[in-house]
Amino acid sequence: LPPHQNEEFRLRRVSHLLIRQGVAPAREYKAAVDQMSFEDGRLLLAVQVQRLPVYRSDEDLRLLVREALASHSRLTADDRRALTVEVSDGVVRLSGNVRTTQARNWAERAAASVDGAAGLRNEIADDIHLELSVAQALDRAGLFRTALVYPRSSLGDISLFGYAPSAGAIEEIVRAASRLPGVRSVTSRLEVRV
């Protein structure tokens, strides 16, 4: 290795070992170094191999979670299409949009059913909470003092209905709604009323 890479490599510490059991199909388990010791040149585990968490690569986890979402009987085709799965260092991140809180929970349960994840972050936005979040953001910004706005969400695509006192107020309302996490687009159907 070049000198700078050799130094980086030397400073790294091993935190886990992968243990493969079986041949076809082989299962891999992830063991933390604090669960093992060396004795007489042999590696000893403090727990039984079968009790260790299953190890899967990030790509394998992503594919298995996508498969679990695709096969979930209660998620609609629209919900499944609007979801994104990312995996980094064994942590599964769900994002995107669904129609209901139940669909958000179903997606989380489907992802959690896959063995081998180090963690799960559910960042899915559901339409019901997104509509409420838009209304709360507009209220916090003081935009409801002179406008009457009814936000509606369809998988993160927000439509704003009602009225505002000017075209400038409508632009400000659209900007405020656009900044929220989970909002994919904003369409204004607001009318100017003085």
Side-chain angles (χ1 to χ4, degrees):
L1 292 173
H4 70 283
Q5 285 182 341
N6 190 23
E7 183 64 23
E8 286 176 28
F9 182 75
R10 221 172 35 80
L11 295 177
R12 291 186 182 175
R13 301 242 187 269
V14 173
S15 62
H16 292 82
L17 288 178
L18 296 181
I19 299 169
R20 179 173 287 186
Q21 187 176 45
V23 180
R27 287 188 69 128
E28 291 184 326
Y29 298 91
K30 186 175 180 179
V33 292
D34 62 0
Q35 294 177 314
M36 55 188 86
S37 62
F38 282 102
E39 190 175 296
D40 297 327
R42 294 187 340 220
L43 179 65
L44 301 175
L45 289 174
V47 296
Q48 294 177 344
V49 172
Q50 294 80 3
R51 293 183 183 258
L52 292 170
V54 172
Y55 169 78
R56 299 192 194 283
S57 70
D58 287 351
E59 183 59 17
D60 287 347
L61 270 174
R62 190 184 70 75
L63 293 171
L64 288 169
V65 170
R66 290 292 315 162
E67 187 177 299
L69 293 171
S71 64
H72 196 284
S73 62
R74 293 194 170 168
L75 288 172
T76 67
D78 285 342
D79 287 337
R80 288 190 290 262
R81 274 193 295 276
L83 292 175
T84 303
V85 178
E86 297 172 352
V87 182
S88 178
D89 294 329
V91 177
V92 176
R93 179 179 166 264
L94 300 175
S95 61
N97 300 84
V98 293
R99 297 196 187 283
T100 65
T101 304
Q102 292 90 347
R104 182 182 191 279
N105 295 337
W106 292 330
E108 182 173 343
R109 280 190 212 115
S113 72
V114 176
D115 287 338
L120 175 62
R121 291 184 13 227
N122 186 347
E123 298 174 8
I124 299 170
D126 67 79
D127 285 340
I128 295 166
H129 283 99
L130 202 50
E131 289 173 2
L132 183 60
S133 295
V134 169
Q136 290 171 337
L138 297 178
D139 188 39
R140 278 192 306 273
L143 297 170
F144 275 156
R145 287 188 212 123
T146 57
L148 182 61
V149 181
Y150 302 98
R152 293 294 173 255
S153 179
S154 178
L155 296 173
D157 295 323
I158 304 294
S159 296
L160 302 171
F161 299 93
Y163 61 87
S166 67
I170 290 173
E171 288 176 18
E172 192 174 345
I173 290 167
V174 169
R175 271 195 306 277
S178 298
R179 287 191 286 262
L180 293 172
V183 172
R184 296 182 336 167
S185 69
V186 178
T187 302
S188 173
R189 305 249 189 265
L190 296 169
E191 298 175 12
V192 175
R193 281 196 199 164
V194 184

